[in-house]
Amino acid sequence: MSILTLEDLTDSELNHLLDLAARFGREGIPAVRGGRFVCGLFFNPSLRTRTSLEVASVSLGAHCTTHDVGAGVWKLETRDGAVMDGDKAEHVRDAVEKFLSGVYDCIGVRAFADLSLPYGTNLHDTVLRAVATASHVPVINLESALFHPMQALADLLVLKNHCEGEPSDHTVALTWAYHPRALPMAVANSALLAFTRAGYRVNLVHPEGFDLDAEVMRVAREHAGDRLAVHHDMNDGLRGAQVIYAKSWGARSEYAAPVARDHLKGWIVDKRRQELGNPGAFMHCLPVRRNVVVTDDVIDGPHSWVAEQARSRVLAQAAVLHEVLEP
């Protein structure tokens, strides 16, 4: 079973993974997947994702090897029919189809959006899809141009731990925050789909022109109906929210054409804005630019859940690998 997005999972499969991750949090991760091998292909830097993959694998009794594409291993060409006379020394078909998927039981792929290309180019998730097509074993998305399902799974686990009663009784404000440069939409896309699917009320908060992907919005509205509201005023969007989830992302117009964004520096989660929430518990996937995205007193304050979020990445990853590596 490959997991390229949480939408690949049925509701029962998603709930099972959350229950399994919660059980691992209470009882520890059992070493029941000995003799299995996990590969991490990292086209981009990572701290929590790489650590979670490696620690979760070892905790399950499996062995994990991670490769930095273009550093520890050859640069990979992903286009079929490419004339390989440039800087890419190996084709994904030779690396993955003919070798890696023959010696590993699972492959995790981390490949960000290329913001030097027009937005529409990234909609094909070219690198992730090329590896998944070439692989004979399950592929897990460790963040792609469009989605970050492992982060979303950990985020749902944290919300489940704290939000008692029905999810519809709780409002999560998923808010854009300033960053000095444009970032991919993957985390925000997956968070929106996960939170609306789980039944939470969601305020999607961002400046004009920073709309998320149209297809993601369509699916989120199918999940949520009137539980999803879009706000272009940060104060309005955060008011009354039990949870404030901050994340910056680039406008579609910023892909391949960086634009000035200094006028948006006021989009920061500070103590005054947190107090608009009820209680405005703070979440962020990390890494975060302190005192740019969020002030120190919020991220280090009593209503910050970021440490639990980060540690939950291991539990969520272990739950996924437990199922994917099942004999």
Side-chain angles (χ1 to χ4, degrees):
M1 150 177 97
S2 290
I3 303 177
L4 307 187
T5 169
L6 287 187
E7 297 298 303
D8 290 335
L9 301 171
T10 65
D11 288 345
S12 61
E13 289 170 337
L14 178 57
N15 290 328
H16 174 66
L17 288 175
L18 289 170
D19 290 342
L20 194 59
R23 194 183 87 201
F24 290 169
R26 295 189 305 269
E27 303 173 6
I29 301 170
V32 293
R33 295 294 182 259
R36 311 308 294 278
F37 294 88
V38 177
C39 173
L41 279 180
F42 287 82
F43 291 79
N44 301 101
S46 172
L47 175 62
R48 277 151 293 275
T49 297
R50 183 191 298 265
T51 300
S52 298
L53 185 71
E54 294 176 351
V55 172
S57 298
V58 173
S59 298
L60 287 165
H63 184 81
C64 180
T65 306
T66 55
H67 302 293
D68 293 308
V69 178
V73 298
W74 305 113
K75 287 186 178 182
L76 294 179
E77 176 59 71
T78 59
R79 298 170 300 161
D80 282 337
V83 177
M84 293 176 55
D85 57 358
D87 65 342
K88 295 177 180 176
E90 185 159 22
H91 198 279
V92 67
R93 289 190 176 276
D94 301 320
V96 174
E97 181 179 0
K98 295 179 174 58
F99 180 59
L100 294 179
S101 65
V103 297
Y104 287 103
D105 300 292
C106 170
I107 298 174
V109 181
R110 184 176 180 85
F112 295 169
D114 185 346
L115 275 77
S116 68
L117 299 175
Y119 177 73
T121 306
N122 288 279
L123 293 179
H124 303 293
D125 243 339
T126 306
V127 175
L128 175 68
R129 298 285 173 180
V131 174
T133 298
S135 179
H136 301 302
V137 297
V139 171
I140 299 172
N141 182 358
L142 303 179
E143 186 173 357
S144 69
L146 292 179
F147 301 111
H148 197 344
M150 298 302 103
Q151 180 65 55
L153 192 61
D155 294 339
L156 285 176
L157 182 61
V158 173
L159 290 178
K160 189 175 181 179
N161 288 342
H162 288 277
C163 297
E164 298 180 354
E166 293 298 319
S168 58
D169 295 335
H170 303 273
T171 297
V172 180
L174 175 58
T175 183
W176 188 90
Y178 175 75
H179 193 284
R181 61 185 180 85
L183 298 177
M185 296 183 182
V187 171
N189 285 341
S190 285
L192 179 64
L193 292 175
F195 299 163
T196 53
R197 182 177 178 183
Y200 294 97
R201 306 191 72 85
V202 179
N203 289 348
L204 178 62
V205 190
H206 60 76
E208 295 276 2
F210 282 80
D211 309 79
L212 290 179
D213 179 71
E215 178 63 14
V216 168
M217 290 299 299
R218 184 191 67 77
V219 176
R221 290 192 186 283
E222 280 188 1
H223 289 330
D226 62 3
R227 288 185 288 101
L228 173 60
V230 177
H231 297 263
H232 299 306
D233 181 283
M234 195 174 190
N235 292 343
D236 287 346
L238 302 191
R239 190 168 284 111
Q242 284 76 44
V243 180
I244 297 171
Y245 193 120
K247 184 70 181 82
S248 185
W249 63 85
R252 296 181 215 177
S253 60
E254 292 183 295
Y255 283 62
V259 297
R261 47 169 45 209
D262 284 356
H263 64 290
L264 297 172
K265 284 185 176 180
W267 282 70
I268 181 173
V269 182
D270 55 18
K271 195 66 176 176
R272 177 182 63 84
R273 285 222 168 93
Q274 185 180 37
E275 289 173 349
L276 294 173
N278 182 27
F282 182 74
M283 296 179 71
H284 190 283
C285 63
L286 300 181
V288 66
R289 301 281 185 117
R290 283 173 174 251
N291 303 305
V292 174
V293 172
V294 58
T295 54
D296 288 337
D297 54 354
V298 173
I299 194 171
D300 294 327
H303 295 301
S304 174
W305 295 348
V306 294
E308 181 182 350
Q309 257 183 292
R311 291 192 295 267
S312 293
R313 288 294 308 278
V314 175
L315 300 176
Q317 190 66 75
V320 168
L321 290 175
H322 182 276
E323 298 303 285
V324 169
L325 297 176
E326 185 176 16

